[in-house]
Amino acid sequence: MEESKKQTPSQSEQLKVQTEVFYAYKHFDSAPNHVQNQWLTLQRYNHIEYLTKGLEHLGPGFCCLDANRPWLCYWILHSIALLGESVDCDLEDNAIDFLSHCQDPDGGYGGGPGQLPHLATTYAAVNSLITLGGDKALSSINRHKLHNFLLRMKVSSGGFRMHDAGEIDVRACYTAISVASILNILDEELTENVGNYILSCQTYEGGIAGEPGTEAHGGYTFCGLATMILINEVDRLDLLSLIDWMAFRQGVESGFQGRTNKLVDGCYSFWQGGAMALLQRLSSLIDAQMRSSFIGEGEQTTGRTKASVKFESGGGSASAGSPAQGNLSDAGLSFLNRSAEADPFFDTIGLQRYILLCSQDPHGGLKDKPGKHRDYYHTCYCLSGLSVCQHSWSKTAKSQPLPPAISGPYTNLLEPIQPLFNVVIDKYHQANDFFSVSY
């Protein structure tokens, strides 16, 4: 009997996190108004200083990330862009030159100069260059050879390998399809059977796993959902069970966890919050699946429903459940132009408070949770999640959020993102125009 009362390590860790978070909230609630406003203020200057220093120089402790240097560029550059700032000309030129040296002669980007190309670092490098913007950055991407690299990573199951002889998973599908879509090189050869592979990874819980037969995970769920939108097959997913699984990942701390019975983590502010923002634009399709499940019409929820969602674009429209008409790469812009037909599916104010009170380091940078150290990865995805929260109440991508949508002062407002790619919207539009011509 005594043995059964013992806490597991996971239960002990959860209790510790809850205690620290609730102490922060209790301390906040009992503070005077002017102190509350200060604690809820995004420390822009300190964050920018922390980020800029990281772009200029990293100490020897970062040697373990030698194969992730394009990621460091992306996390830092995207965070700076979210804060509405840009880097100076010298830093911009240095970043472009460095990423050019990471580009493999046969296509794709490695983790550093001379390293083998990898889909994850290719995604990071491309998003970094798009975030920098301008002719020099965008024209440095060899789209023809990158397309060849993506084809080499394609496997018969419909998925992709991360690198030569590497793992096959949903992350590889997303990074390949995302890069191809944003660079306007997406074609039927790349999308063939991708939807079947993603479907095989949706679990009984409703979330999406990294590989078939494994546990649903917040990062893979975002990757799988975004991929299905980009290939216009999102109606094949069981969206009802997906949204149910995701809604229960926002914990009592108001932050998101990545998996069932795991601890809250600030990075899932984007992976889960961003996926919620995608689902918000699919409410018509979710309603159609709900009606179908009630009255027994159509196929099973994991098959195609009779209803479809049209992604309108300048080049025509495409059904969300059929191959796109015209250019496959139009799906990203078409989706962005859709109105948010429903209110947010999660507690946006609660998540903002978790980010600002529990993940923000007042000296600059953001972190996983109380007791952890700041880092560039969590800074990027906490800020991305904060942006998603602030703009989730806006019905269109062009409309500014009203003050009640923002926790803390209105000066906390960040730049809006294109949630399918996690790049700032203005940078996305510039890249979309630049790459509108065939390669």
Side-chain angles (χ1 to χ4, degrees), residues 92 96 127-138 427 430-431:
E92 181 177 322
I96 296 169
N127 274 14
S128 297
L129 292 164
I130 286 172
T131 299
L132 288 169
D135 286 355
K136 181 178 179 180
L138 301 180
K427 300 293 185 179
Q430 183 185 125

Side-chain angles (χ1 to χ4, degrees), residues 29-46:
D29 288 338
S30 62
N33 286 339
H34 72 279
V35 176
Q36 289 185 343
N37 290 336
Q38 183 179 352
W39 287 344
L40 282 177
T41 298
L42 186 67
Q43 302 299 319
R44 286 176 176 272
Y45 175 81
N46 293 341

Side-chain angles (χ1 to χ4, degrees), residues 40-72:
L40 282 177
T41 298
L42 186 67
Q43 302 299 319
R44 286 176 176 272
Y45 175 81
N46 293 341
H47 296 322
I48 292 168
E49 184 179 35
Y50 167 68
L51 293 161
T52 305
K53 284 183 177 178
L55 201 58
E56 291 171 343
H57 175 75
L58 294 173
F62 286 87
C63 287
C64 61
L65 294 176
D66 180 65
N68 291 279
R69 282 185 279 174
W71 277 113
L72 288 164

Side-chain angles (χ1 to χ4, degrees), residues 365-386:
L366 292 100
K367 55 193 176 183
D368 168 351
K369 58 177 69 69
K372 298 290 186 179
H373 297 290
R374 63 184 181 177
D375 61 70
Y376 298 111
Y377 169 82
H378 285 93
T379 299
C380 171
Y381 291 109
C382 284
L383 289 177
S384 298
L386 191 60

Side-chain angles (χ1 to χ4, degrees), residues 136-320:
K136 181 178 179 180
L138 301 180
S139 62
S140 71
I141 304 169
N142 190 322
R143 290 193 290 164
H144 177 75
K145 290 186 176 180
L146 199 155
H147 183 262
N148 290 338
F149 167 64
L150 297 179
L151 286 177
R152 293 201 309 274
M153 296 303 103
K154 180 82 175 172
V155 296
S156 58
S157 68
F160 289 84
R161 294 189 182 277
M162 292 302 298
H163 55 89
D164 284 331
E167 66 272 31
I168 302 166
D169 57 29
V170 169
R171 175 185 50 148
C173 293
Y174 170 68
T175 49
I177 296 300
S178 173
V179 163
S181 178
I182 206 166
L183 295 180
N184 192 27
I185 57 175
L186 190 62
D187 57 26
E188 292 182 1
E189 197 171 5
L190 287 173
T191 61
E192 184 178 4
N193 287 329
V194 172
N196 292 336
Y197 182 79
I198 301 293
L199 273 183
S200 72
C201 297
Q202 187 169 23
T203 75
Y204 72 94
E205 291 183 283
I208 298 174
E211 303 172 49
T214 56
E215 183 183 8
H217 181 281
Y220 292 118
T221 295
F222 171 85
C223 289
L225 176 61
T227 301
M228 293 296 268
I229 292 170
L230 288 171
I231 64 173
N232 276 305
E233 295 185 27
V234 69
D235 66 335
R236 299 182 65 192
L237 290 171
D238 181 350
L239 297 175
L240 300 180
S241 64
L242 175 61
I243 198 170
D244 186 59
W245 178 82
M246 289 181 57
F248 281 97
R249 300 288 69 76
Q250 189 167 23
V252 292
E253 308 92 340
S254 292
F256 277 105
Q257 61 181 187
R259 292 178 287 160
T260 304
N261 293 329
K262 295 298 181 181
L263 301 182
V264 66
D265 186 332
C267 72
Y268 293 109
S269 302
F270 173 73
W271 297 122
Q272 303 282 32
M276 285 290 203
L278 298 179
L279 287 168
Q280 195 180 348
R281 286 183 165 89
L282 298 175
S283 57
S284 295
L285 185 51
I286 293 167
D287 289 345
Q289 287 194 359
M290 187 175 295
R291 288 195 301 272
S292 181
S293 68
F294 281 143
I295 62 178
E297 291 182 353
E299 301 176 17
Q300 294 180 349
T301 54
T302 52
R304 294 189 181 281
T305 59
K306 288 186 176 181
S308 64
V309 175
K310 298 287 186 180
F311 290 167
E312 302 294 342
S313 69
S317 63
S319 166

Side-chain angles (χ1 to χ4, degrees), residues 277 280 340 342-350 352 387-397 399-407:
Q280 195 180 348
D343 290 340
F345 296 145
F346 65 104
D347 181 0
T348 61
I349 295 296
Q352 288 180 70
S387 173
V388 165
C389 290
Q390 294 170 345
H391 294 276
S392 285
W393 289 93
S394 303
K395 293 304 180 185
T396 68
S399 56
Q400 285 287 93
L402 297 174
I406 297 169
S407 184

Side-chain angles (χ1 to χ4, degrees), residues 65-70 101-105 108-118 121:
L65 294 176
D66 180 65
N68 291 279
R69 282 185 279 174
H101 283 97
C102 295
Q103 189 166 204
D104 190 82
Y109 291 80
Q115 296 184 25
L116 294 176
H118 191 287
T121 48

